[in-house]
Amino acid sequence: MRQETIENYLKTIYNLSSNNTAVVNNQKIADRLSLNPATVTEGLRKLHELKYIVYEKSYGSRLTTSGSKLALDIIRRHRIWETYLAKELGFGWDEVHAIAEELEHVNNVKLINKLASILGNPIYDPHGDPIPDEKGKIQKSNFIKLSETKLKLNYKVMGVTDHSTTFLKYLEKHNLIIGANINVKTIEDFDNSIVLICQKKEVNISPKAADCIIVQSI
Amino acid sequence: MRQETIENYLKTIYNLSSNNTAVVNNQKIADRLSLNPATVTEGLRKLHELKYIVYEKSYGSRLTTSGSKLALDIIRRHRIWETYLAKELGFGWDEVHAIAEELEHVNNVKLINKLASILGNPIYDPHGDPIPDEKGKIQKSNFIKLSETKLKLNYKVMGVTDHSTTFLKYLEKHNLIIGANINVKTIEDFDNSIVLICQKKEVNISPKAADCIIVQSI
DNA sequence: ATTATCTTTTTGGTATACCAAAAATAATGA
DNA sequence: TCATTATTTTTGGTATACCAAAAAGATAAT
Ligand SMILES: [Mn+2]
Ligand SMILES: [Mn+2]
Ligand SMILES: [Mn+2]
Ligand SMILES: [Mn+2]
């Protein structure tokens, strides 16, 4: 199996099992990687043989210790590159993901650690996602989705779970960038859309968008 | 054909036809890319179909305008990355080639131009090789090989044609780094080995090594 | 419990990238 | 020139990464 293929599967499985405890089903992997489900079934069988995952037929996959280690390594590379592109090379948070998708496969420990060191060993990437350290350790947080917030409370934007240019440009337009302070004004009973105050302006957020914004209570 | 495969062929053909005028034979491509000659024959047939090269059976290949353009673009990416790794990220001139071999395939014009701009749009890479500009234009020089030098004359080291760690470490040991001034003391009749003075020390250079060192008369 | 609906797997098939060995072609040199 | 050697091409074959459609299995919904 090509290394790049392995890496893309493992990264996806890790991201889909959130806390790395849940079992991941094939269809979601197929969706994320834009592959036919048949291809995924084959791929998972091979990854199981390579002992990167435990794959139970018609049930799902979960990473082994070695699979988890590799996954975290790729995620580290991806997020370090995203941060370096944004902080050192002047790219926008909506541009970095696509480039990092390619750079993440360049495997050179010294290079990644050097970039990390220049950045001051950051813990979060430009989208608020945590960056694993060299040993694969991740900072854990108590962040919640904007869609789970309570009325009248104050929050700080800590991250996003959608990295698409369209979404990020949309957020920028309303000053909903990382670090922004917001106040949840009303939650519409009708469709669960959220009206919030950000920089003194009222912004109406659809439930779908609110599900992609990560905040912290302040 | 995979983009990476195309890029590796074109880069190799460009490098083997030096001034990009000579026809390149299959065996040398096979050697450089560590491929079976049969594989190369197939590859060249496909590149001809894609109009990147003109391939005459049992004779050789030469790049078309479009092939040449792509080749120069990859070479630019490779050499910009080598320079960035050396100048900005603290890697040695013996380390950068291997990493650049991977990074060169990440195709993002804005990224490469940004790196180039940070470096002050350099014209030479850490091995003294010229860096094509965005349009593919290359600085041409009057450099010669150390093996072609004349007795008693003074030269400046301008580059190397071998990028292997062993060779570069060997040169470093004798202070034969880029920019070093040397004086050709004697050329042995017996084996054409060269004795030169570099930083007041005498160094004996084999003809094979002298063939990989590029100098300029001063 | 029995459909109806997802989801996964199997089957059969394509495209790419490679190689070893044999056959053909070109180059060299006596 | 004619044989020897070097290079290139053809042939037959493997491994990987994919997909479409059919079959099987699991889940949900009445
Ligand atoms: Mn990303
Ligand atoms: Mn990110
Ligand atoms: Mn190089
Ligand atoms: Mn170089």
Side-chain angles (χ1 to χ4, degrees):
Chain A
M1 238 178 150
R2 275 176 53 207
Q3 187 63 17
E4 206 179 307
T5 310
I6 294 175
E7 293 183 353
N8 284 332
Y9 272 107
L10 297 183
K11 179 183 63 166
T12 304
I13 293 169
Y14 185 95
N15 283 151
L16 287 173
S17 76
S18 46
N19 43 0
N20 196 21
T21 153
V23 158
V24 180
N25 68 323
N26 297 13
Q27 200 151 59
K28 279 185 183 143
I29 299 170
D31 279 359
R32 280 279 181 107
L33 295 174
S34 302
L35 293 174
N36 187 294
T39 306
V40 171
T41 302
E42 274 180 82
L44 296 178
R45 200 184 41 68
K46 285 180 213 150
L47 289 171
H48 181 101
E49 244 170 43
L50 293 167
K51 300 213 199 304
Y52 284 125
I53 65 173
V54 176
Y55 175 49
E56 282 184 66
K57 248 170 143 176
S58 287
Y59 171 63
S61 317
R62 103 182 325 142
L63 296 171
T64 61
T65 308
S66 105
S68 186
K69 197 174 279 181
L70 222 179
L72 282 160
D73 194 32
I74 301 145
I75 289 167
R76 172 171 163 81
R77 287 182 233 155
H78 181 98
R79 293 181 181 167
I80 290 285
W81 270 119
E82 283 190 345
T83 312
Y84 194 82
L85 289 165
K87 290 265 175 69
E88 301 292 324
L89 301 178
F91 285 87
W93 72 335
D94 57 308
E95 299 177 295
V96 298
H97 179 75
I99 311 176
E101 282 291 313
E102 295 190 59
L103 287 166
E104 70 186 3
H105 298 293
V106 175
N107 184 5
N108 187 291
V109 177
K110 196 173 161 187
L111 173 60
I112 293 299
N113 287 346
K114 177 70 189 179
L115 299 178
S117 144
I118 287 172
L119 293 163
N121 296 303
I123 294 178
Y124 294 106
D125 83 359
H127 311 104
D129 293 312
I131 302 176
D133 73 13
E134 216 191 325
K135 283 166 190 152
K137 200 166 179 190
I138 276 194
Q139 189 79 11
K140 56 171 159 294
S141 67
N142 58 339
F143 303 160
I144 56 171
K145 292 177 180 174
L146 177 56
S147 53
E148 296 159 352
T149 52
K150 298 218 174 63
L151 223 57
K152 304 290 176 198
L153 291 182
N154 291 311
Y155 297 94
K156 192 191 276 280
V157 176
M158 300 306 290
V160 291
T161 56
D162 184 312
H163 298 173
S164 68
T165 302
T166 41
F167 180 61
L168 298 176
K169 282 280 179 214
Y170 161 79
L171 291 186
E172 257 177 27
K173 212 168 55 193
H174 298 295
N175 292 308
L176 284 168
I177 56 174
I178 288 182
N181 290 319
I182 59 172
N183 180 275
V184 178
K185 196 180 167 198
T186 47
I187 301 173
E188 300 289 351
D189 272 345
F190 169 59
D191 64 352
N192 283 312
S193 73
I194 293 172
V195 179
L196 53 80
I197 313 285
C198 176
Q199 298 210 156
K200 284 170 190 158
K201 272 189 197 134
E202 243 183 44
V203 188
N204 195 307
I205 299 291
S206 74
K208 192 185 163 190
D211 225 46
C212 299
I213 300 171
I214 304 295
V215 299
Q216 185 181 30
S217 178
I218 51 173
Chain B
M1 240 178 150
R2 276 175 53 207
Q3 187 63 16
E4 204 179 308
T5 311
I6 294 176
E7 292 183 354
N8 284 332
Y9 272 108
L10 297 184
K11 178 182 63 169
T12 304
I13 293 169
Y14 185 94
N15 283 149
L16 286 173
S17 76
S18 45
N19 42 0
N20 196 19
T21 153
V23 158
V24 180
N25 67 325
N26 297 13
Q27 200 150 59
K28 279 185 184 146
I29 299 171
D31 279 0
R32 280 279 182 106
L33 295 174
S34 303
L35 292 175
N36 187 293
T39 306
V40 171
T41 302
E42 274 180 83
L44 296 177
R45 199 185 41 68
K46 285 180 214 150
L47 288 171
H48 180 101
E49 246 170 42
L50 293 168
K51 301 211 197 306
Y52 285 124
I53 66 172
V54 175
Y55 176 49
E56 282 184 67
K57 249 170 140 176
S58 288
Y59 171 63
S61 317
R62 103 182 325 143
L63 296 172
T64 61
T65 307
S66 105
S68 187
K69 197 174 280 180
L70 221 179
L72 282 160
D73 194 32
I74 301 146
I75 289 166
R76 172 171 163 80
R77 288 183 233 155
H78 181 98
R79 293 180 183 169
I80 290 285
W81 270 119
E82 282 190 345
T83 311
Y84 193 82
L85 289 166
K87 290 265 175 69
E88 301 291 325
L89 301 179
F91 286 87
W93 72 336
D94 58 308
E95 300 177 294
V96 298
H97 178 76
I99 311 177
E101 282 291 312
E102 296 189 58
L103 287 165
E104 71 187 2
H105 299 292
V106 175
N107 184 6
N108 187 291
V109 178
K110 197 174 161 188
L111 173 60
I112 292 299
N113 287 347
K114 177 69 189 181
L115 299 178
S117 145
I118 287 171
L119 293 163
N121 296 302
I123 294 177
Y124 295 106
D125 83 0
H127 312 104
D129 293 313
I131 302 176
D133 73 12
E134 217 191 323
K135 282 165 190 154
K137 200 166 180 190
I138 276 194
Q139 190 79 10
K140 55 172 161 293
S141 68
N142 58 340
F143 304 159
I144 56 171
K145 292 177 180 174
L146 177 56
S147 53
E148 296 160 351
T149 54
K150 298 219 174 64
L151 223 56
K152 306 289 176 197
L153 291 182
N154 291 310
Y155 296 94
K156 190 191 278 276
V157 176
M158 301 305 290
V160 291
T161 56
D162 184 313
H163 297 173
S164 69
T165 302
T166 42
F167 180 62
L168 298 176
K169 282 278 178 214
Y170 161 81
L171 291 186
E172 257 178 27
K173 211 168 57 193
H174 298 296
N175 292 309
L176 284 167
I177 56 174
I178 288 182
N181 289 318
I182 59 173
N183 179 276
V184 177
K185 196 179 167 197
T186 47
I187 301 174
E188 302 288 352
D189 271 345
F190 170 58
D191 64 354
N192 282 312
S193 72
I194 293 172
V195 179
L196 53 80
I197 313 286
C198 177
Q199 298 210 155
K200 284 170 186 159
K201 272 189 196 134
E202 242 182 45
V203 187
N204 196 306
I205 300 291
S206 73
K208 192 185 163 190
D211 226 46
C212 299
I213 300 172
I214 305 295
V215 299
Q216 184 180 32
S217 178
I218 53 173

